Amino acid sequence: MQPIVANDLTIGYGKKTIASGINFVLEKNDLIVIIGPNGAGKTTLIKTILGIIPPLSGYVEVLGCPAKHVCPHRKRIGYVPQIGRVPKDFPATLLDVVLSGLYPHKERFSKIGKEEKLLAMRAISEMGLSKKINEQFGKLSGGQQKRGLVARALIGHPDALFFDEPTSGVDVAAASDFRKKIIELKEKEGIPILIVTHDVNPYIPYLTKILVIGRGKVRVGGIELLRDIEFLKSVYGESIKVLEIEGKFYLLSGDFHDV
Amino acid sequence: MFNYLLLPEYQRAFVAVLLSGILLPEMGVLMVLERFTFAGAGIAHVAFAGVTLFLLIGINPLLGGVLFALLSSVLMWHLLEHKGVNLDAGMGIIFAFFMALAVIFMSLSRNYSGEAISYLFGSVLTVSWIDVVLLLVVFLLVQVVLVAFHRDIFLLMLNRELAEASGVNAKGINLLFLILLAIVITACMKAMGALLVLGMAVMPAVSALKLKGSFVHVIVMSGIVGAFASLLGFITSLLINTPPAATIIIITFCLFAIVMRLYKD
Ligand SMILES: Nc1ncnc2c1ncn2[C@@H]1O[C@H](COP(=O)(O)OP(=O)(O)O)[C@@H](O)[C@H]1O
Ligand SMILES: [Mg+2]
């Protein structure tokens, strides 16, 4: 079974269409990178697949479950949202936040047991945060919080992982570490991955597809999409320029900010 | 001092102070974390408008209070979830309208404005057994909701999308929270006063958040801090013969100041 199938999907809010004609499949061994300008609808697409908002039309299926249905399968996707820093006084330790990844799978009044705490500790050490396990989540650095959220996603043994701008707001070194972890998860654990990012380069050796979204248009393909300057102009605007240097692609434009 | 407690009105006051002293801080933790304190103050004032209207037309004023509070909660929720107006701005819209109503009702009901004032500043010694039973019911309701939904609330406060992806009905939880807040504030208004409930909700909550710990831990702590502060304040007011609600708030503030000094981080 393919973890995700989108067929002529239209996404948006209420009467407002953000993008339409979205067709793609996330296979078991895929690492799909989603790029597009700010406000293009990358987060909207992820929210639609997760069932947080309904598709305006078309079909999307997650782990065999069509989007219009409420089914528990959806919880089998590990989701790392685009999240600002959690406030310093947020009342939770790293362990609490990671354990909350089990909430969707728990009965309302059931308790968290010892084995579940062990699972959490394993996920935390997998993300290299063992020393921080009992620290207040809000006091961790931006990068550590992100890794904590990945541990949270991993604890439920997800069948797919979604990352929404995982390295935005994280310093360069931490971001590079973090990407290594993501790629490791794909290579070692064989979890299919969907990543929204502004910098495709670090993923080029590993990605299987690129999804470009912007100004209502969506295309899915390989690296060659980044060489189609006419298409990129229609997505990013006329002022976009692409430099290809040693197999890396640099998109330069006025309305392209923050990585 | 202790012979006071043999008098029924002091017994009622004691229970009312204790229950409000736990209830308000518990809700206060959620208000502080959701950045919702102004809207909370607004609900209290709107409830007060309802109280003055029902005093005027001669129906149980608390009924008016809870109706108005619920109305404003649901309106705010609607503005938030369907019109994209955040809670603070939503309250800014609703607040002025209801307060203007209250002013007009008060001017029409000169005879009753004394009683209306007691809802504004609190009048714990005039609490009736019915008020106490009502408070107890609200108290139990809140404990049940917190136990049943604390995980949903936790996820929602961590991140809305994360919560929704985990199957939490965010809209529903927000509505539940606002409705609960309207009920709690109205139930505590007679004892604590519309102007003072906010302080009782927020100060122990912020203190408990400083003491750290997990979410459930912080809620329990805020209840304990609130219970301690409100009882200490009440007893102090009996000893030095000052208005109870105001004394409770001042004592709570002192405790808050001490916690802030001890836990500077
Ligand atoms: N809840 C919402 N209701 C209506 N419009 C929204 C909502 N959230 C986002 N939008 C709009 O949808 C568009 C796409 O947003 P988003 O998917 O967050 O973009 P991206 O993640 O690509 O930066 C933006 O124009 C944004 O203003
Ligand atoms: Mg986004």
Side-chain angles (χ1 to χ4, degrees):
Chain A
M1 183 182 53
Q2 291 145 329
I4 293 159
V5 180
N7 226 323
D8 199 20
L9 183 68
T10 302
I11 58 170
Y13 300 89
K15 292 198 179 80
K16 189 168 90 184
T17 297
I18 307 278
S20 54
I22 303 170
N23 289 292
F24 76 96
V25 174
L26 179 76
E27 308 267 6
K28 280 229 164 75
N29 59 350
D30 265 338
L31 189 160
I32 299 185
V33 172
I34 301 178
I35 58 169
N38 289 326
K42 303 180 293 293
T43 301
T44 307
L45 175 59
I46 288 200
K47 287 204 267 188
T48 310
I49 299 170
L50 286 166
I52 295 174
I53 55 171
L56 298 191
S57 71
Y59 181 78
V60 59
E61 183 188 291
V62 176
L63 305 169
C65 164
K68 293 210 169 84
H69 297 78
V70 182
C71 46
H73 294 61
R74 221 166 278 280
K75 297 177 192 165
R76 305 223 39 86
I77 293 183
Y79 173 40
V80 181
Q82 183 178 10
I83 188 172
R85 283 202 56 164
V86 171
K88 275 210 169 63
D89 63 354
F90 189 76
T93 59
L94 172 61
L95 182 64
D96 294 330
V97 169
V98 173
L99 280 171
S100 78
L102 292 173
Y103 290 176
H105 311 291
K106 302 237 6 139
E107 296 291 326
R108 192 165 288 289
F109 292 102
S110 62
K111 280 204 166 150
I112 301 276
K114 269 225 169 72
E115 307 89 75
E116 288 165 321
K117 282 201 180 141
L118 281 175
L119 277 179
M121 274 148 56
R122 203 168 310 148
I124 288 169
S125 82
E126 191 145 332
M127 294 311 296
L129 290 173
S130 294
K131 286 197 181 120
K132 305 281 177 187
I133 199 155
N134 288 317
E135 267 196 42
Q136 291 292 114
F137 192 75
K139 298 241 168 81
L140 302 178
S141 72
Q144 290 168 337
Q145 289 191 1
K146 288 270 154 103
R147 280 194 277 158
L149 290 175
V150 180
R152 182 192 178 276
L154 288 177
I155 190 179
H157 291 297
D159 292 331
L161 276 171
F162 290 7
F163 294 93
D164 197 349
E165 303 199 23
T167 49
S168 67
V170 176
D171 71 70
V172 190
S176 153
D177 273 0
F178 191 70
R179 280 190 292 263
K180 276 191 202 124
K181 275 283 169 214
I182 294 178
I183 288 155
E184 223 179 272
L185 287 170
K186 157 82 178 16
E187 309 270 289
K188 277 201 197 144
E189 317 274 335
I191 306 175
I193 288 176
L194 207 66
I195 303 176
V196 172
T197 181
H198 283 300
D199 186 8
V200 68
N201 289 321
Y203 302 104
I204 285 179
Y206 312 95
L207 62 80
T208 52
K209 290 171 196 155
I210 299 178
L211 187 153
V212 184
I213 179 170
R215 308 203 175 186
K217 290 188 206 56
V218 179
R219 257 168 73 181
V220 183
I223 280 294
E224 76 282 353
L225 273 184
L226 300 178
R227 298 195 181 101
D228 185 344
I229 188 69
E230 285 314 310
F231 169 64
L232 290 179
K233 275 183 178 170
S234 75
V235 166
Y236 281 94
E238 280 302 315
S239 63
I240 187 80
K241 291 191 177 59
V242 182
L243 296 177
E244 184 177 353
I245 303 169
E246 295 177 355
K248 296 197 150 117
F249 294 82
Y250 299 91
L251 285 82
L252 310 169
S253 159
D255 73 329
F256 183 74
H257 16 256
D258 64 45
V259 173
Chain B
M1 155 74 216
F2 287 102
N3 27 4
Y4 275 130
L5 291 178
L6 297 174
L7 300 170
E9 67 255 47
Y10 287 90
Q11 291 168 354
R12 291 194 293 262
F14 193 82
V15 178
V17 160
L18 182 62
L19 290 177
S20 327
I22 299 171
L23 262 176
L24 287 168
E26 284 180 340
M27 296 305 287
V29 172
L30 308 186
M31 286 162 70
V32 170
L33 288 171
E34 298 254 274
R35 313 274 170 235
F36 185 60
T37 48
F38 172 60
I43 291 179
H45 288 75
V46 171
F48 176 69
V51 164
T52 56
L53 173 64
F54 275 51
L55 279 173
L56 177 65
I57 57 182
I59 309 176
N60 185 339
L62 278 184
L63 190 60
V66 79
L67 283 179
F68 271 48
L70 283 174
L71 189 65
S72 69
S73 278
V74 173
L75 268 170
M76 259 193 294
W77 176 77
H78 175 69
L79 288 173
L80 172 74
E81 297 289 353
H82 303 119
K83 304 285 167 205
V85 179
N86 73 44
L87 288 173
D88 269 3
M91 193 22 101
I93 294 160
I94 294 162
F95 176 77
F97 173 72
F98 280 98
M99 266 333 270
L101 279 183
V103 171
I104 290 171
F105 297 149
M106 276 179 81
S107 75
L108 289 175
S109 62
R110 288 226 170 68
N111 306 348
Y112 294 102
S113 47
E115 195 175 348
I117 294 290
S118 80
Y119 282 91
L120 204 51
F121 296 110
S123 163
V124 73
L125 291 173
T126 63
V127 167
S128 67
W129 278 122
I130 293 180
D131 294 333
V132 171
V133 170
L134 221 67
L135 252 178
L136 189 63
V137 170
V138 173
F139 178 80
L140 293 175
L141 177 73
V142 169
Q143 309 316 307
V144 169
V145 170
L146 285 177
V147 170
F149 291 101
H150 72 268
R151 285 178 184 160
D152 305 64
I153 298 170
F154 176 85
L155 287 175
L156 189 55
M157 284 184 317
L158 182 62
N159 178 262
R160 181 167 180 145
E161 279 75 36
L162 209 57
E164 288 180 319
S166 307
V168 173
N169 178 351
K171 274 189 190 181
I173 294 285
N174 276 338
L175 182 62
L176 181 68
F177 167 61
L178 283 165
I179 286 180
L180 221 50
L181 193 59
I183 296 173
V184 167
I185 285 175
T186 317
C188 296
M189 201 162 63
K190 185 103 173 245
M192 292 296 190
L195 287 178
L196 302 176
V197 283
L198 185 71
M200 198 62 224
V202 170
M203 289 189 289
V206 176
S207 308
L209 282 165
K210 270 278 170 239
L211 300 174
K212 301 195 185 68
S214 304
F215 180 51
V216 174
H217 190 117
V218 164
I219 291 185
V220 172
M221 261 327 278
S222 76
I224 292 173
V225 171
F228 178 69
S230 54
L231 289 184
L232 190 64
F234 184 48
I235 292 168
T236 308
S237 79
L238 295 180
L239 291 174
I240 61 175
N241 202 16
T242 46
T247 315
I248 288 170
I249 291 299
I250 287 168
I251 294 285
T252 308
F253 178 80
C254 294
L255 275 178
F256 166 77
I258 291 169
V259 171
M260 287 298 128
R261 250 206 94 70
L262 292 179
Y263 293 83
K264 267 186 284 207
D265 65 36

